[in-house]
């Protein structure tokens, strides 16, 4: 029995309610019994001389009622009072018991529902939700529980999606390598430099994919160490310009590095900022035709310093804009693959890095053939 009570909150609640009722009843009985004689005496004295406890006790002068009658009256009154009191206590205990039962159930049943729902979530049914009624602490707990379940469901679906995407991305270069090797074995493909280069390029793609995935998982887990300090954004622009200058020249694309003056320093990790900007400028270079132009500028925005990379390239159709930062998202999968493009993780990493430094990143494009502008912000150093 005591084990049952220890393991059931409902039973403990019911018992505690009943204990309160019991204590109340005891106090009621003791108080009424101790107050009764004095109160009776006071009321009897109000009837006139000769009524009251003095007469009841046989002391003092004789009066109308006499001591016997007063004692008789007191005895009868006490008996009827006690009778009424016992019925009242009994009725109160019964009503209190029923109410306690209802009250403890009303607390226990949402807890039971929560417990059952968490059990089902633990079994992998992430679509489980509990119904929320009212606005008390239990309703808040249920609402928080539902939020947690929703988040778990999202994480689970992202995990599934990620596994699907990664296997798909790995399969493509692996199939190409396997096909080339079979061609070599069967003698269908010539064992020359071109074939080996092709195999090497696919292996290289695999390598980059694995590197990107590693980087992405580190950034998303917040495990990338950031060396945040005041950084001169003009110097970052210069570094990226120097790093990519040759590639722009080779492709006959003009890189306009707008002069940046009078900007406050940003609080950022310099190497990571260079990495982000190199990625954006590299994309601009990749998705712009020969003879095109790319502008890199920095200006004071309302939430820090705003760096933008604008190109006259192929642009991004409006329906793709919302997904461009999703992992593995490529507007034209076959095109970026032929053009030596990556796996569609570059922008995901870039945005995660900017957000880890307290900034934001977004894209704007007038549509296909009208170029694109990638913008990111970094907070001003105090
Ligand atoms: P990838 O390594 O494939 O370039 P990213 O994450 O860097 O991956 O870019 C994702 C996709 O966004 C690209 O495949 C391309 O379709 C589109 N994209 C990125 N930058 C540009 C740009 N400057 N102009 C047009 N499309 C772009």
């Amino acid at each position: 029995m005591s084990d049952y009570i220890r393991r059931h909150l409902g039973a403990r609640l019911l018992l505690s309610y009943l204990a309160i009722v019991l204590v109340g009843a005891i106090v009621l009985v003791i108080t009424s019994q101790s107050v009764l004689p004095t109160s009776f005496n006071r009321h009897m004295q109000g009837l006139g001389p000769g009524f009251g406890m003095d007469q009841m006790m046989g002391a003092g002068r004789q009066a109308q009622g006499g001591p016997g009658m007063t004692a008789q009256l007191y005895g009868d009154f006490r008996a009827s009072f006690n009778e009424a009191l016992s019925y009242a206590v009994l009725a109160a205990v019964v009503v209190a018991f029923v109410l306690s039962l209802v009250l403890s159930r009303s607390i226990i049943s949402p807890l039971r529902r929560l417990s059952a729902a968490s059990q089902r979530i633990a079994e992998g049914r992430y679509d489980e939700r509990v119904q929320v009624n009212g606005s008390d602490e239990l309703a808040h707990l249920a609402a928080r529980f539902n939020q947690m379940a929703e988040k778990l469901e999202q994480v689970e679906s992202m995990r599934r999606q990620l596994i699907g995407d990664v296997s798909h991305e790995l399969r493509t270069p692996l199939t190409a390598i396997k096909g080339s090797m079979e061609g070599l074995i069967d003698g269908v493909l010539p064992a020359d430099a071109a074939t080996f280069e092709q195999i090497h390029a696919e292996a290289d793609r695999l390598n980059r994919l694995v590197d990107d995935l590693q980087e992405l998982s580190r950034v998303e887990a917040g495990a990338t160490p950031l060396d945040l300090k005041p950084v001169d954004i003009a110097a970052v622009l210069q570094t990226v310009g120097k790093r990519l200058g040759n590639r722009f020249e080779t492709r006959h694309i003009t890189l306009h590095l707008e002069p940046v003056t009078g900007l406050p320093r940003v609080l950022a990790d310099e190497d990571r900022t260079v990495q982000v900007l190199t990625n954006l400028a590299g994309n601009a270079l990749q998705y712009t035709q020969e003879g095109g132009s790319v502008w890199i500028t920095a200006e004071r925005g309302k939430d820090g310093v705003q760096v933008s990379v604008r190109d006259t390239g192929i642009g991004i159709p409006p329906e793709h804009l919302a997904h461009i930062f999703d992992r593995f998202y490529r507007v034209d999968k076959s095109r970026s693959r032929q053009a030596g493009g990556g796996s569609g993780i570059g922008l995901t990493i870039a945005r995660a890095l900017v957000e880890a430094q307290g900034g934001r990143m977004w894209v704007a494009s007038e549509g296909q053939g009208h170029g694109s502008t990638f913008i990111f912000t970094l907070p001003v150093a105090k």
Side-chain angles (χ1 to χ4, degrees):
M1 179 70 178
S2 72
D3 194 41
Y4 180 86
I5 292 169
R6 218 177 310 121
R7 285 193 297 114
H8 290 84
L9 180 62
R12 286 217 300 280
L13 273 175
L14 186 63
L15 267 186
S16 58
Y17 286 142
L18 290 182
I20 293 169
V21 171
L22 205 69
V23 171
I26 292 170
V27 172
L28 184 75
V29 170
I30 294 174
T31 317
S32 61
Q33 294 308 309
S34 57
V35 169
L36 195 62
T38 333
S39 168
F40 180 79
N41 189 28
R42 206 175 56 246
H43 284 280
M44 290 310 280
Q45 272 168 355
L47 291 178
F51 290 94
M53 282 302 187
D54 298 345
Q55 283 66 32
M56 208 169 97
M57 303 299 166
R61 4 178 223 109
Q62 288 293 309
Q64 297 105 306
M69 189 178 163
T70 310
Q72 170 80 32
L73 253 179
Y74 178 70
D76 286 350
F77 174 71
R78 185 175 191 143
S80 53
F81 175 82
N82 284 347
E83 197 181 316
L85 185 67
S86 359
Y87 282 127
V89 167
L90 192 71
V93 167
V94 171
V95 170
F97 179 78
V98 174
L99 274 181
S100 312
L101 210 64
V102 173
L103 267 175
S104 49
R105 287 241 164 107
S106 75
I107 293 174
I108 293 308
S109 71
L111 285 178
R112 283 219 177 109
R113 282 207 301 274
L114 271 169
S115 161
S118 58
Q119 174 66 34
R120 281 192 287 271
I121 285 182
E123 285 160 9
R125 287 172 53 189
Y126 295 98
D127 56 344
E128 191 65 37
R129 299 288 181 275
V130 281
Q131 214 194 321
V132 191
N133 290 324
S135 57
D136 58 8
E137 285 86 348
L138 280 172
H140 280 299
L141 178 66
R144 297 262 179 286
F145 179 88
N146 285 346
Q147 275 177 1
M148 184 195 73
E150 204 170 310
K151 195 88 200 158
L152 279 174
E153 196 179 6
Q154 278 173 9
V155 170
E156 175 61 12
S157 100
M158 272 165 68
R159 191 183 66 86
R160 284 212 191 108
Q161 173 98 29
L162 181 66
I163 292 177
D165 287 344
V166 170
S167 14
H168 175 79
E169 293 296 327
L170 289 175
R171 192 173 299 124
T172 321
L174 275 176
T175 311
I177 292 173
K178 199 167 161 236
S180 302
M181 296 308 275
E182 281 169 3
L184 278 171
I185 293 166
D186 297 346
V188 185
L189 274 179
D192 59 10
T195 308
F196 294 131
E197 261 166 34
Q198 198 187 330
I199 296 172
H200 184 265
E202 292 298 341
D204 199 39
R205 176 184 291 279
L206 267 178
N207 209 11
R208 266 185 291 149
L209 175 65
V210 173
D211 284 350
D212 282 355
L213 279 171
Q214 238 176 358
E215 169 97 354
L216 181 67
S217 82
R218 262 200 306 265
V219 177
E220 287 191 338
T224 314
L226 290 174
D227 181 18
L228 296 179
K229 52 184 175 213
V231 171
D232 179 10
I233 208 73
V236 172
L237 263 60
Q238 291 303 327
T239 310
V240 175
K242 272 194 211 126
R243 201 177 271 188
L244 296 180
N246 281 343
R247 283 173 59 196
F248 273 87
E249 269 170 35
T250 318
R251 296 227 17 236
H252 305 289
I253 295 169
T254 319
L255 174 63
H256 304 268
L257 266 183
E258 310 272 299
V260 176
T261 46
L263 273 186
R265 285 164 170 254
V266 291
L267 185 66
D269 181 317
E270 188 160 357
D271 291 345
R272 294 303 184 174
T273 311
V274 168
Q275 179 186 343
V276 169
L277 196 56
T278 308
N279 189 311
L280 296 184
N283 275 353
L285 176 71
Q286 188 181 339
Y287 298 107
T288 300
Q289 305 85 341
E290 275 201 10
S293 291
V294 173
W295 289 264
I296 304 182
T297 51
E299 59 192 340
R300 182 77 213 240
K302 65 177 182 326
D303 47 356
V305 169
Q306 201 166 294
V307 183
S308 40
V309 179
R310 181 162 65 90
D311 63 55
T312 56
I314 61 170
I316 300 163
E319 66 274 21
H320 294 282
L321 285 175
H323 306 286
I324 209 82
F325 295 103
D326 294 352
R327 19 168 129 88
F328 301 113
Y329 198 84
R330 290 176 297 228
V331 173
D332 179 349
K333 297 199 181 225
S334 55
R335 190 188 187 284
S336 62
R337 192 171 289 286
Q338 283 157 14
S343 45
I345 313 182
L347 284 177
T348 319
I349 296 175
R351 181 155 81 170
L353 277 175
V354 166
E355 285 174 356
Q357 297 178 76
R360 289 188 308 127
M361 184 185 278
W362 67 97
V363 59
S365 175
E366 297 284 305
Q368 206 143 17
H370 291 94
S372 331
T373 309
F374 284 84
I375 304 156
F376 69 91
T377 62
L378 286 171
V380 172
K382 295 270 164 2

